[in-house]
Amino acid sequence: MPAHPRIPNPHEGALQLFAYDLRELGEGKASVTWIAEHEETTVSKAALYAALSGTRLPKRETVSTLLRWWAGDPTVEDRELDEYYSEPVWSWINRLPRDHEGRRLADQWRARYQRLARDVVGKRRVGPRAARVDIAVPPEQQDFIKELKDLIGKTGLEDELWLLLGSFSFRVERYLGGESIPTDESCWALTERLASFVPSLDRLDVARRLMLSAEVARAARVRDRRIAREGRTA
């Protein structure tokens, strides 16, 4: 591993520990310089090195790029799915063979990164909280809910959510009721569960559409809350 990034101290918090462990994962594997210069890499070398220093939260594209070479193996990916490479960020995981160890490892790292991101963002928001406002479910979130309902309907178990989803059904009921929006991690988990009942579902395509739809829905809620607050203070 090149010595460019500052060596993080794993005892100085979750961000430093994440960078330290990521650095360890890359020992003896493709170098950062080689990855940065690869034709498929869209992240700068500086960003890749910064992710290994633990000084700030790296973008998910950066973490995914490193993991693609250090946890996965691009040489065995299913190239028939190349059109999905750039979006979503983690689509390369599903391009790996079903029995590839990189799938499990990458999923673990993805979940760990998402937890870290939530913790870091949460700490940044410590301070006076914005005024709470009530908003209607935005049209974009309604579109997400419809898409999710349609997918559940394909199983024929829309009236038996517990049978279909087990304990996950409580969260799904909140999604369907417009009370919350799933994370990328939850979209993947939901897709896998639905696909186990409907084998013909294209897991990658379904997860991709759900994540994009959920992302748009979250942005719409942020927009509508901002508009509501501005109206309240006007």
Side-chain angles (χ1 to χ4, degrees):
M1 173 68 63
H4 289 73
R6 181 180 74 86
I7 298 177
N9 184 341
H11 303 293
E12 290 185 359
L15 186 58
Q16 292 275 307
L17 177 60
F18 181 86
Y20 181 88
D21 288 346
L22 185 59
R23 187 183 173 96
E24 288 290 300
L25 180 67
E27 284 291 342
K29 300 177 182 175
S31 71
V32 171
T33 298
W34 190 90
I35 294 173
E37 293 177 351
H38 193 278
E39 61 181 4
E40 293 183 0
T41 300
T42 59
V43 180
S44 71
K45 181 165 68 174
L48 295 174
Y49 275 131
L52 302 175
S53 68
T55 56
R56 64 178 184 271
L57 178 71
K59 292 183 178 180
R60 60 178 187 161
E61 291 86 349
T62 305
V63 174
S64 177
T65 297
L66 292 172
L67 291 177
R68 185 178 179 226
W69 294 97
W70 292 349
D73 182 355
T75 64
V76 299
E77 291 175 10
D78 183 351
R79 291 297 170 168
E80 292 183 1
L81 299 175
D82 270 351
E83 65 268 25
Y84 297 121
Y85 173 68
S86 62
E87 186 61 45
V89 172
W90 303 97
S91 63
W92 59 269
I93 298 176
N94 269 30
R95 292 206 300 265
L96 293 170
R98 290 283 177 190
D99 59 350
H100 196 284
E101 172 64 14
R103 277 177 169 264
R104 182 190 62 81
L105 184 59
D107 279 334
Q108 291 175 346
W109 272 95
R110 176 173 57 186
R112 181 177 174 183
Y113 172 76
Q114 290 172 336
R115 289 194 298 270
L116 176 67
R118 287 195 293 269
D119 290 344
V120 170
V121 172
K123 289 179 180 178
R124 289 173 182 167
R125 291 175 177 169
V126 173
R129 301 189 65 174
R132 180 178 177 82
V133 292
D134 293 323
I135 60 172
V137 177
E140 294 87 346
Q141 189 176 357
Q142 293 176 25
D143 290 342
F144 169 80
I145 293 171
K146 181 181 183 304
E147 185 164 9
L148 180 54
K149 283 182 177 178
D150 289 344
L151 283 170
I152 292 174
K154 291 180 184 297
T155 68
L157 295 170
E158 57 269 29
D159 296 324
E160 301 287 345
L161 281 186
W162 182 262
L163 177 62
L164 177 64
L165 301 167
S167 60
F168 197 35
S169 62
F170 293 117
R171 275 189 281 173
V172 173
E173 286 174 353
R174 290 178 56 82
Y175 304 152
L176 295 174
E179 299 174 61
S180 64
I181 301 171
T183 62
D184 285 356
E185 180 183 0
S186 293
C187 285
W188 280 106
L190 181 55
T191 298
E192 289 295 329
R193 189 63 187 238
L194 293 174
S196 69
F197 284 83
V198 187
S200 61
L201 284 181
D202 184 327
R203 285 175 167 83
L204 179 59
D205 183 58
V206 169
R208 173 178 177 270
R209 288 190 289 107
L210 278 181
M211 285 191 288
L212 290 175
S213 183
E215 183 177 350
V216 171
R218 281 191 291 270
R221 291 193 66 85
V222 171
R223 177 201 65 209
D224 286 3
R225 285 197 187 100
R226 184 182 67 251
I227 293 173
R229 292 191 183 101
E230 291 173 351
R232 167 179 285 188
T233 58

